[in-house]
Amino acid sequence: MSKLLVVDDEERIRSIIRKYGEFEGHEVDEAGDGMEAIRICQNHTYDLIIMDIMMPNLDGFSACKEIRKITDIPVIMLSARGEEYDRIHGFELGIDDYVVKPFSPKELMMRVSAILNRYHKDQNTNREVYEQAGLKIDFTGRKVFIHQKEIDLSPKEYELLFYLVRNEGIALTREQLIHDVWGYDFYGDDRTLDTHIKLLRKSLQEYSKWIITLRGVGYRFEKAK
């Protein structure tokens, strides 16, 4: 059983998520705003946080930034807005997923399960390292180095990079990447994938060219010749 924290100023939203979360066997706590969420996280441990962006006292982005100083657990952000700016800002803060309201509670629980499964799996894998031409990726330690200097990636950037590298030289469709990296069925919106690829390329600096765009198909990771 996993322990979830649901942060939203709308009691109805919290109630719906609690209902579905408890049905899936999770223990669910609630917070009505960002300040309350920070106080709770200072005294309790959770496996995943589901947090709204627009809240009184302290918004979700600011709360997430402060919570990241306390714990590195997965975060799913909820928002009534689906603009790319909001998505990018959230991913840069290190959130794991971004869900636009109104949302399907069943789909949200699928995303929760997928993230928790990957998170726990990452804690139990044998050490594996990829190293090519100054780029070093420590899969188990979740660390990436460029010319021996560690670079900071968001949790989702790590997962996307790891998946691309483990499938080096293979053409990966958008649908395949969404399904295998995000862990839920593809619903036709590939903006999330494109946003993460853009952020990942920026983080990889000179190695961004190793992520090759396959027009009309998807992407391939391949060492530049």
Side-chain angles (χ1 to χ4, degrees):
M1 179 177 66
S2 297
K3 191 170 183 179
L4 313 180
L5 176 63
V6 179
V7 188
D8 198 300
D9 60 317
E10 294 186 51
E11 183 178 356
R12 180 182 63 85
I13 297 295
R14 299 199 307 269
S15 178
I16 291 174
I17 297 175
R18 171 186 284 275
K19 176 183 176 181
Y20 278 82
E22 291 179 342
F23 180 79
E24 294 292 330
H26 304 301
E27 181 180 344
V28 183
D29 286 347
E30 300 179 23
D33 59 55
M35 293 297 294
E36 185 180 3
I38 294 172
R39 289 195 296 269
I40 291 176
C41 287
Q42 289 172 336
N43 299 293
H44 298 83
T45 301
Y46 295 93
D47 296 291
L48 185 144
I49 299 174
I50 301 171
M51 182 155 51
D52 187 30
I53 293 179
M54 303 300 293
M55 295 184 292
N57 298 325
L58 190 68
D59 65 272
F61 285 144
S62 299
C64 180
K65 187 175 181 179
E66 292 303 312
I67 290 173
R68 276 282 177 253
K69 298 177 182 178
I70 304 170
T71 177
D72 195 34
I73 65 170
V75 175
I76 295 178
M77 197 71 81
L78 304 178
S79 177
R81 304 187 306 183
E83 286 82 357
E84 184 181 39
Y85 169 80
D86 292 318
R87 293 171 182 261
I88 291 177
H89 186 48
F91 294 141
E92 287 178 333
L93 289 174
I95 69 170
D96 293 79
D97 209 345
Y98 188 104
V99 177
V100 179
K101 295 180 179 179
F103 57 86
S104 161
K106 290 184 178 180
E107 180 189 338
L108 177 61
M109 287 301 110
M110 289 174 64
R111 297 186 184 211
V112 167
S113 296
I115 291 172
L116 289 174
N117 287 339
R118 288 196 308 275
Y119 184 78
H120 293 310
K121 181 180 179 181
D122 286 344
Q123 307 302 309
N124 298 297
T125 54
N126 293 323
R127 183 163 293 278
E128 182 183 356
V129 176
Y130 172 94
E131 194 165 3
Q132 287 286 342
L135 175 64
K136 180 179 179 181
I137 302 170
D138 182 346
F139 292 93
T140 310
R142 292 179 69 84
K143 294 182 178 181
V144 178
F145 300 86
I146 293 179
H147 300 304
Q148 301 183 342
K149 182 179 180 180
E150 185 175 356
I151 62 172
D152 187 34
L153 302 179
S154 71
K156 190 60 66 181
E157 284 180 86
Y158 281 117
E159 292 170 12
L160 181 56
L161 176 61
F162 292 174
Y163 187 83
L164 287 166
V165 174
R166 285 190 171 119
N167 291 277
E168 184 177 8
I170 299 175
L172 301 169
T173 66
R174 292 174 180 274
E175 291 84 354
Q176 184 177 356
L177 284 163
I178 287 287
H179 183 274
D180 291 349
V181 176
W182 273 257
Y184 50 85
D185 291 336
F186 183 66
Y187 288 91
D189 182 1
D190 55 9
R191 290 179 299 171
T192 295
L193 172 60
D194 292 336
T195 297
H196 277 89
I197 289 291
K198 183 187 300 182
L199 291 171
L200 180 56
R201 280 174 168 158
K202 181 179 179 181
S203 298
L204 290 178
Q205 304 167 33
E206 64 192 86
Y207 298 99
S208 62
K209 59 187 177 183
W210 290 17
I211 300 178
I212 300 170
T213 299
L214 305 175
R215 295 189 180 279
V217 179
Y219 299 93
R220 180 178 70 244
F221 183 87
E222 186 172 273
K223 178 183 175 182
K225 299 179 179 179

